[in-house]
Amino acid sequence: MSKLEIQGIRSPVGDNIFWFIIDSNKNGILVDPGEDKPIVNYIKSNGLMPDSIILTHDHPDHTNGILPITNEFHCPVIGPENENIESITQAFTEGDSFERMGAKFEVLSLPGHSPDHIGFIVNDEHFFCGDVIFGGGCGIVPEGSYDIMFDSLQKCKELSPAIKLYWGHEYTAANLLFATQVEPDNVDLVKRLKLAQENIATNKFDAPGTLAEELKTNPFLRTDQPGVIAAAEQKHGGKLSTPYEVFAVLRKWRSGG
Ligand SMILES: [Zn+2]
């Protein structure tokens, strides 16, 4: 298995993180290039050779850089089946796997945030989860897709706790602040929030995080925990009988509902 280095840069105009998977020969796979200029600058200033682009879903803040980048570097574009991305050259879905730069990529179907959202597990160790899981939170979900997103999050919970998560946006401190409204007595959460706030002050990422850490602190992965259930029931104003119902209340609450 090839040794990989993973680097991320933050969008200069938004909160997206653009990830680069880099091998020892400076070939690079670009993950969800939502802009071209900062990514092309990074490629040139680090002497990278783009091997390919991989995409988790079709939202413009993850895809806007594809055309200018492929016009300049002519690399394949790998992404989900059925999403609205014209430039895809190879489409994958649940259970598919492929190799790039000597590394093994496994594809997980994770719908909810978008209908055909996928995630990529690289060498059993790195999980590019797009807008499904964020540090301390999860992606927004259109009305009618809450159950689908809940199932995708349950699927992520089954992965190895040691797996590293590379999310598509850095919202960690804001998510954890919300999480402390849900679970004010969760000691791990309070500690993590403090660290995330320090990271903002020093301009550091919270990503990658581990699934183990999310399982201890991310309320959207803790919808079976008594404290989370109690907080959601209080917000809802009545009994909730399943973790899915708890999830739906939390997701609306997080969006201000
Ligand atoms: Zn998105």
Side-chain angles (χ1 to χ4, degrees):
M1 241 178 240
S2 66
K3 178 95 186 96
L4 301 174
E5 186 191 332
I6 298 176
Q7 295 289 344
I9 59 167
R10 193 162 191 158
S11 158
V13 295
D15 42 35
N16 287 71
I17 307 177
F18 305 126
W19 294 107
F20 302 84
I21 306 169
I22 302 166
D23 75 4
S24 49
N25 298 318
K26 294 216 161 193
N27 297 304
I29 295 171
L30 323 179
V31 185
D32 285 350
E35 294 165 37
D36 58 317
K37 287 202 179 73
I39 293 174
V40 169
N41 281 344
Y42 185 86
I43 290 169
K44 289 186 173 165
S45 57
N46 289 279
L48 294 185
M49 285 287 296
D51 168 89
S52 51
I53 289 173
I54 63 173
L55 306 171
T56 60
H57 66 295
D58 65 5
H59 292 167
D61 60 320
H62 295 252
T63 58
N64 274 342
I66 299 172
L67 279 181
I69 292 169
T70 50
N71 281 341
E72 188 161 353
F73 298 105
H74 308 288
C75 58
V77 179
I78 294 165
E81 285 180 354
N82 304 321
E83 296 242 319
N84 186 24
I85 313 167
E86 275 177 26
S87 42
I88 284 186
T89 55
Q90 286 171 278
F92 291 105
T93 187
E94 176 69 21
D96 288 339
S97 59
F98 59 92
E99 254 190 58
R100 296 296 312 180
M101 304 189 321
K104 178 180 76 172
F105 286 72
E106 290 170 274
V107 177
L108 247 61
S109 171
L110 300 170
H113 174 73
S114 76
D116 292 283
H117 192 299
I118 56 174
F120 299 90
I121 296 176
V122 185
N123 287 350
D124 299 317
E125 187 187 349
H126 311 286
F127 178 28
F128 293 86
C129 55
D131 288 3
V132 176
I133 298 180
F134 296 131
C138 73
I140 55 165
V141 187
E143 203 55 57
S145 300
Y146 285 85
D147 52 342
I148 303 170
M149 184 68 156
F150 176 76
D151 289 345
S152 290
L153 292 171
Q154 294 306 109
K155 193 175 188 176
C156 294
K157 283 173 72 169
E158 302 301 316
L159 299 172
S160 160
I163 206 159
K164 290 186 195 133
L165 303 177
Y166 298 81
W167 42 79
H169 294 262
E170 188 60 282
Y171 298 136
T172 306
N175 282 332
L176 294 173
L177 196 59
F178 168 76
T180 57
Q181 289 182 50
V182 180
E183 284 191 287
D185 301 327
N186 179 335
V187 177
D188 294 313
L189 169 57
V190 171
K191 245 194 247 167
R192 189 181 176 199
L193 172 61
K194 189 166 175 284
L195 183 65
Q197 287 169 333
E198 285 167 12
N199 282 344
I200 287 188
T202 53
N203 215 10
K204 278 194 217 135
F205 288 158
D206 290 288
T210 62
L211 180 58
E213 188 171 35
E214 295 307 320
L215 292 172
K216 286 193 283 184
T217 56
N218 185 329
F220 298 96
L221 300 176
R222 295 172 56 77
T223 52
D224 53 355
Q225 297 296 310
V228 176
I229 297 168
E233 286 182 337
Q234 198 180 11
K235 179 76 185 168
H236 174 66
K239 270 267 166 238
L240 297 168
S241 49
T242 63
Y244 159 67
E245 290 175 5
V246 173
F247 168 75
V249 169
L250 290 181
R251 188 53 266 184
K252 285 176 196 157
W253 183 3
R254 177 69 180 95
S255 299

